[in-house]
Amino acid sequence: MSSLVKEDLEKKLFKPLSQNLYEFIEIEFSVQDRYYLCVSVTKNEEVKIIMVKHYRIGLDEKYEVTKKWSLNDLQMIDGKEADTDNPFFDLHFKKVYSLEAYSCASKYAFARTVNKLNHVYLKKDLQIVNFDSTYINDDSIWSSNNKDCLVLMRICFYAFNLVCLSLCPLPL
């Protein structure tokens, strides 16, 4: 489903703006409407963070840009609490925007993408706080192109270690 939405977003909104869509997440912003937080790169290699409203008119899907920021203006991403599984985070521009992602995994996917694009295009000192850095940085042992498997891989690793430890004989 999300790949179809991404394809539709690219075709109807980002290609006409001459931008490449790198990541989008659904955010809880309004009860009756659906909103997405998107990260894109322009032809001039400027990274944009865009809030998009999604609505239907009959059978036709429509997208409307409601807010647009430059990554250069982003000062900090605050994940609120690194030790709990929550979807809340703040984007600090000149104003602070408090957002709720659809899931904690999507919040981390957004932060990873912003961090990666910052390193590729801007190389500025972007603060990403209250996130587990193991899941944010690409250089960690747990990084993966398939972000959905990240947590499962870690659980399997710990389970394997527990099985190995349980099979070891205890010294008398």
Side-chain angles (χ1 to χ4, degrees), residues 15 26 31 58 80 154:
K15 291 295 180 196
E26 187 172 344
V31 176
K80 302 281 186 156
R154 191 169 199 178

Side-chain angles (χ1 to χ4, degrees), residues 17-147:
L17 296 173
S18 299
Q19 295 180 17
N20 289 325
L21 177 62
Y22 274 82
E23 182 71 63
F24 80 100
I25 63 169
E26 187 172 344
I27 55 173
E28 304 289 332
F29 196 72
S30 168
V31 176
Q32 64 264 25
D33 295 314
R34 185 176 269 172
Y35 283 83
Y36 301 112
L37 193 60
C38 305
V39 183
S40 66
V41 178
T42 67
K43 280 186 178 180
N44 299 335
E45 297 186 342
E46 186 178 0
V47 181
K48 297 288 186 182
I49 299 171
I50 300 171
M51 187 182 300
V52 175
K53 178 181 176 182
H54 174 226
Y55 56 94
R56 284 194 177 124
I57 297 179
L59 296 175
D60 197 23
E61 307 285 333
K62 298 287 185 181
Y63 302 98
E64 176 185 330
V65 174
T66 58
K67 294 203 183 303
K68 186 187 288 190
W69 306 280
S70 173
L71 179 58
N72 201 27
D73 297 331
L74 182 63
Q75 301 158 357
M76 179 172 63
I77 302 175
D78 183 356
K80 302 281 186 156
E81 299 174 33
D83 299 334
T84 61
D85 187 22
N86 75 51
F88 300 99
F89 65 104
D90 290 340
L91 296 177
H92 291 252
F93 293 97
K94 287 181 181 176
K95 181 181 172 187
V96 177
Y97 295 89
S98 295
L99 301 171
E100 179 183 358
Y102 182 74
S103 68
C104 187
S106 63
K107 172 177 87 169
Y108 272 86
F110 175 78
R112 266 193 305 274
T113 302
V114 169
N115 189 37
K116 182 179 179 181
L117 292 176
N118 177 53
H119 286 299
V120 171
Y121 293 103
L122 292 177
K123 297 173 181 54
K124 75 173 198 164
D125 185 28
L126 176 63
Q127 294 181 352
I128 300 179
V129 298
N130 294 320
F131 282 89
D132 187 340
S133 63
T134 305
Y135 299 112
I136 295 294
N137 299 320
D138 277 340
D139 59 349
S140 79
I141 191 171
W142 302 109
S143 68
S144 169
N145 288 336
N146 188 358
K147 297 166 188 81

